[in-house]
Amino acid sequence: MSAETDTQAAEVANLSGITPMSLKKTLTEKLDAQYVTIEDISGGCGQAFEATIVSPLFVKKASLARHRLVNSTLKTEIAAIHAWTPKCFTPEEWERKRVQEGEGIPSGV
């Protein structure tokens, strides 16, 4: 379902009920995620999302297993959207990445 105007895009997003905030809430609660960012990369229609997820549940899991865990957690939501791109990190991996990039995990997130 594509939208031709911003108004139509907002209507599509509202109809699906899937928002970056709802995805973040589900991931935080069900995966014990310590840090989650969700970006709507669809231009506002709510049909394509990119995520960064930091969870201790990813420890000792290969990338494919992490993605399967996330995808099974969001099975219903993923079925209703066009594109989903998760990036999954353990807390230790995330901290190393942030340090290498000269950042830290934002406090309060």
Side-chain angles (χ1 to χ4, degrees):
M1 188 185 296
S2 64
E4 294 179 14
T5 67
D6 288 342
T7 302
Q8 287 176 337
E11 289 173 8
V12 169
N14 289 336
L15 288 175
S16 73
I18 298 169
T19 64
M21 196 56 112
S22 68
L23 293 169
K24 180 176 181 173
K25 181 177 188 264
T26 300
L27 291 167
T28 301
E29 291 174 357
K30 294 187 177 181
L31 295 181
D32 192 27
Q34 297 176 354
Y35 178 77
V36 177
T37 60
I38 308 285
E39 183 180 352
D40 182 344
I41 58 172
S42 66
C45 73
Q47 290 294 301
F49 297 95
E50 186 173 271
T52 300
I53 307 155
V54 179
S55 172
L57 298 181
F58 299 148
V59 173
K60 295 186 180 179
K61 285 187 173 47
S63 180
L64 181 59
R66 294 173 187 191
H67 285 204
R68 285 181 176 162
L69 178 60
V70 170
N71 291 351
S72 68
T73 300
L74 296 176
K75 184 177 182 176
T76 303
E77 292 87 343
I78 290 172
I81 61 177
H82 176 70
W84 170 248
T85 307
K87 297 176 187 167
C88 306
F89 300 93
T90 66
E92 293 78 19
E93 290 168 343
W94 182 248
E95 185 59 31
R96 277 195 307 271
K97 180 176 173 49
R98 298 288 110 205
V99 168
Q100 288 173 351
E101 294 176 1
E103 304 173 16
I105 293 180
S107 59
V109 178

